[in-house]
Amino acid sequence: MMVKLVIGVIVGLACVAGLTLLIGFLLPASRTGQHDRVIDVSPAALSAVILDRASQPQWRADLAKVDIKSATQWTETTERGEVIAFELTSKEANRITMRFASSYGYHGQWEGRLNPTPSGGTHIFVTEQATTPAPIGRILARLFFNPDAFARQYLDALAAETQRRQTGETR
């Protein structure tokens, strides 16, 4: 009787594990988050804040440190210990693009489009696409990460830092 119970539990756990893997394989590997916002500075001034990588741990609450490797490559370490390697792939007057790869097993690209507004500000559109190859990672990403909310959080922090720099406030 006890052997049948143990075998039943093992078979049940194997079925749950198999079903979990199947669900992970069926989920799309890539997800996209988008958000936009108007910030009251020129595209050039906003671009300068975005590309001032060294200062980002001071104004992004989720970021512990940044290690600059070169003019186009750097790593960000989050407060929870994730290390993300970035590469700046394009910097134009109204567009910035980057590639990234995380120590948590995903990789992707980030794009910021900076369109001038009639009032002299910038309408910024951020799009981040992340690809998670591992099926379990896909499930975890859907449970614990909202790419649209992340893009909104980044733009909120960017707007606050831009405002702080405009007014000359100290941290």
Side-chain angles (χ1 to χ4, degrees):
M1 180 85 164
M2 184 60 122
V3 172
K4 285 184 179 182
L5 178 62
V6 170
I7 291 173
V9 168
I10 290 171
V11 168
L13 290 173
C15 288
V16 167
L19 182 60
T20 301
L21 279 174
L22 177 63
I23 289 169
F25 275 115
L26 293 174
L27 290 171
S30 294
R31 295 176 69 199
T32 300
Q34 299 178 316
H35 199 67
D36 70 294
R37 178 182 197 133
V38 174
I39 299 177
D40 292 329
V41 296
S42 70
L46 189 57
S47 178
V49 176
I50 293 168
L51 295 175
D52 180 6
R53 296 174 295 274
S55 74
Q56 290 194 19
Q58 298 166 2
W59 57 270
R60 290 178 53 200
D62 62 331
L63 199 55
K65 71 177 185 171
V66 172
D67 292 314
I68 299 172
K69 309 296 184 191
S70 72
T72 60
Q73 296 183 330
W74 67 98
T75 60
E76 296 179 356
T77 303
T78 68
E79 288 291 335
R80 59 182 198 272
E82 176 184 11
V83 178
I84 308 168
F86 282 88
E87 179 183 6
L88 179 66
T89 54
S90 173
K91 190 225 172 280
E92 302 165 21
N94 63 350
R95 186 170 167 259
I96 300 170
T97 61
M98 305 172 199
R99 282 192 295 249
F100 58 87
S102 168
S103 62
Y104 283 10
Y106 64 89
H107 62 275
Q109 52 196 358
W110 183 96
E111 177 185 63
R113 287 179 287 128
L114 295 81
N115 299 324
T117 64
S119 65
T122 303
H123 192 175
I124 180 170
F125 296 84
V126 169
T127 302
E128 183 171 313
Q129 181 184 33
T131 300
T132 307
I136 297 299
R138 293 176 197 175
I139 292 170
L140 293 173
R142 277 165 180 76
L143 291 174
F144 298 109
F145 183 72
N146 178 334
D148 291 321
F150 181 78
R152 183 177 57 254
Q153 177 186 3
Y154 173 78
L155 287 181
D156 288 347
L158 178 63
E161 175 61 10
T162 303
Q163 177 65 30
R164 187 199 65 76
R165 289 183 187 198
Q166 267 192 309
T167 60
E169 295 174 24
T170 58
R171 283 185 185 69

